[in-house]
Amino acid sequence: MVKKSIVNPYEVEGKIDYDRLIKEFGIKKLTDADLNRIKKHTGEIHHFLKRGMFFAHRDLNKLLDEYEKGNKFFLYTGRGPSGPIHIGHVATWLFTKWLQDKFDVELWFQFTDDEKFLFYNQSYEDIQKWTKENMLDIIALGFDPKKTHFLIDTKHAGIMYPEAIKVAKKINFSTIKSAFGFTDTNNIGSIFYTAMQTVPVFLPNVLKGENKMCLIPLAVDQDPHFRISRDVVEKLGHRKPAILHAKMMPPITGVEGKMASSKSNAAILTTDSPKEVARKINKYAFSGGQDTIEKHRKLGGNPDVDVSFQWLKYFEPDDKKLEKIEKDYRSGKLLTGELKKILIDKINAFLKEHQKKRKEAKKLVEKFIY
Ligand code: TRP
């Protein structure tokens, strides 16, 4: 029997069957018609959409109906600051930035320092350190400071808590238990937490006296929070958010599970040196190639399970180049080592820019914090 995968904010395990998740979560697969509708406004289809890395949604069409009537939305996403940023995180946020630029909308970015303190065995001080560090990575991606606001749960508790209790009052413990796989031994803060993650769905409207819709780009493991709270926010007189769901970027060790900074050999961190990137990919990146060159030339490799190829789908936006790499790898013309080299160069080029901007970001932090 195939082991069932688990996907929720606190556990991602096994090989994820995304079609099954679509059914289980009650979300909708993005269709070509959806992509073309987005293209009407953006002028292009981002390669993450075209290649299915963003694969599903909730209420996208409602959001675009409104947008086409001239009603802008705002974007909301977030980060649990428990450690360093890896390239999987960056992927979702690069897409978020693309949405911000193309639709010319505000982004509210939540740092859930409360969440990571409650769920992880880390001190409050440690989490504060990572909050500061993680902000630099997000700023380095080039978000517009005039249109981007950072919310830090403990710092902004004064404006968030009054709204969080209204949400919390409408959710019972048994709902939380089944959505997140909790038991009676979970600490009581963790049970409340989902209310805090719900607040930014409508907080900008409360602060400004507006009634805009919210669009949340997220990795699909975060969907259970909003599956619970979409109904709740409506009961509170706010609008249900629309959501765009991304697949989990596969870890370096193979296409199962998700990348985690806590297993530092399984992830490329934004602070890794070019040497470190090359070392990790050469040593650990799961290969779909054959074990000898002779066999590889004869039988070819399998890009579908090859992590280097899967990652290039994120980092090589040029369709023609990517197609050629895929074809050459399948035929055996391109060897695993050569494929890895292409990926290493791509990632290092990205990180070189990123690390430069990350240094400059220190001066900008205050501009972003709400
Ligand atoms: N819980 C998320 C994490 O652990 C952080 C987060 C907060 C988030 N709000 C969000 C992620 C909204 C996506 C969308 O990283």
Side-chain angles (χ1 to χ4, degrees):
M1 205 184 89
V2 188
K3 215 176 88 200
K4 213 178 152 198
S5 66
I6 303 173
V7 179
N8 72 51
Y10 304 108
E11 234 180 322
V12 176
E13 249 179 52
K15 179 152 171 52
I16 305 167
D17 178 342
Y18 287 101
D19 285 325
R20 213 196 66 209
L21 265 197
I22 285 174
K23 283 202 202 104
E24 237 171 60
F25 283 14
I27 57 185
K28 292 217 164 69
K29 196 169 187 152
L30 281 169
T31 62
D32 289 344
D34 294 329
L35 301 195
N36 285 326
R37 194 167 177 200
I38 293 172
K39 190 181 173 189
K40 271 207 308 208
H41 303 287
T42 58
E44 61 180 20
I45 305 181
H46 193 282
H47 63 286
F48 290 0
L49 287 169
K50 208 176 346 181
R51 298 176 188 164
M53 279 93 95
F54 273 82
F55 72 107
H57 73 98
R58 293 182 188 272
D59 280 349
L60 176 70
N61 286 301
K62 207 181 249 174
L63 183 96
L64 292 175
D65 287 344
E66 288 280 323
Y67 189 77
E68 286 168 11
K69 283 188 225 147
N71 300 325
K72 282 212 166 166
F73 55 89
F74 64 88
L75 291 161
Y76 158 41
T77 194
R79 159 73 183 155
S82 57
I85 299 300
H86 60 60
I87 57 172
H89 302 125
V90 165
T92 326
W93 302 331
L94 284 172
F95 183 70
T96 305
K97 159 135 172 65
W98 181 80
L99 290 171
Q100 176 175 67
D101 291 346
K102 294 292 176 182
F103 287 97
D104 186 28
V105 288
E106 281 199 352
L107 164 66
W108 291 76
F109 199 107
Q110 180 182 31
F111 291 86
T112 59
D113 57 342
D114 53 346
E115 177 189 25
K116 296 298 137 162
F117 174 73
L118 289 165
F119 283 88
Y120 290 8
N121 190 14
Q122 286 183 47
S123 70
Y124 183 74
E125 289 68 32
D126 236 21
I127 299 287
Q128 296 312 305
K129 185 196 95 187
W130 285 118
T131 305
K132 291 208 184 93
E133 286 291 315
N134 291 178
M135 282 184 199
L136 302 180
D137 281 295
I138 289 142
I139 293 170
L141 296 176
F143 290 106
D144 182 343
K146 287 196 217 73
K147 286 186 281 179
T148 307
H149 310 288
F150 289 175
L151 288 170
I152 304 148
D153 286 357
T154 61
K155 181 181 170 75
H156 295 101
I159 51 173
M160 296 183 75
Y161 191 66
E163 303 306 323
I165 56 172
K166 295 173 198 166
V167 174
K169 197 171 180 177
K170 298 213 177 296
I171 303 174
N172 59 41
F173 186 22
S174 67
T175 304
I176 296 297
K177 270 192 195 168
S178 68
F180 301 120
F182 292 175
T183 67
D184 282 348
T185 65
N186 273 84
N187 74 58
I188 59 175
S190 67
I191 298 158
F192 174 78
Y193 167 72
T194 196
M196 288 298 280
Q197 186 153 328
T198 299
V199 169
V201 166
F202 58 85
L203 186 69
N205 288 331
V206 172
L207 295 173
K208 299 182 188 190
E210 291 179 341
N211 191 25
K212 285 184 181 157
M213 259 184 98
C214 167
L215 172 62
I216 314 173
L218 48 67
V220 67
D221 64 335
Q222 295 294 317
D223 183 77
H225 285 296
F226 302 106
R227 191 163 71 230
I228 295 173
S229 64
R230 271 166 38 94
D231 289 333
V232 173
V233 301
E234 195 164 53
K235 282 185 207 145
L236 294 174
H238 305 295
R239 312 179 65 169
K240 285 186 180 179
I243 302 178
L244 281 170
H245 301 85
K247 293 178 181 167
M248 314 306 299
M249 190 165 175
I252 204 161
T253 44
V255 289
E256 289 198 2
K258 73 165 179 177
M259 210 184 300
S261 307
S262 52
K263 303 172 206 146
S264 79
N265 275 329
I268 304 290
L269 309 180
T270 58
T271 48
D272 281 348
S273 68
K275 253 193 173 154
E276 188 65 355
V277 170
R279 184 188 70 84
K280 286 183 186 175
I281 292 174
N282 283 327
K283 185 157 179 195
Y284 298 107
F286 183 82
S287 167
Q290 308 293 341
D291 14 299
T292 64
I293 294 186
E294 294 71 48
K295 254 172 95 186
H296 189 87
R297 293 273 187 233
K298 206 165 122 209
L299 302 171
N302 179 3
D304 305 331
V305 299
D306 190 288
V307 169
S308 301
F309 182 77
Q310 293 303 317
W311 284 7
L312 271 177
K313 285 197 195 159
Y314 291 83
F315 286 93
E316 177 50 81
D318 186 324
D319 290 331
K320 290 221 171 69
K321 282 191 189 159
L322 190 76
E323 264 167 43
K324 179 153 170 39
I325 292 167
E326 178 168 13
K327 200 173 126 246
D328 289 350
Y329 195 59
R330 253 187 231 289
S331 75
K333 189 171 162 203
L334 189 70
L335 299 174
T336 295
E338 294 166 336
L339 173 64
K340 287 189 173 186
K341 173 83 169 66
I342 297 173
L343 176 70
I344 291 165
D345 290 348
K346 272 278 160 195
I347 291 185
N348 280 337
F350 169 79
L351 288 184
K352 189 171 172 211
E353 248 327 272
H354 184 80
Q355 288 167 6
K356 196 177 106 218
K357 292 198 204 126
R358 198 176 182 281
K359 273 204 195 109
E360 296 162 5
K362 293 203 174 93
K363 303 192 291 282
L364 300 172
V365 175
E366 288 309 315
K367 288 202 171 108
F368 282 87
I369 297 178
Y370 181 77

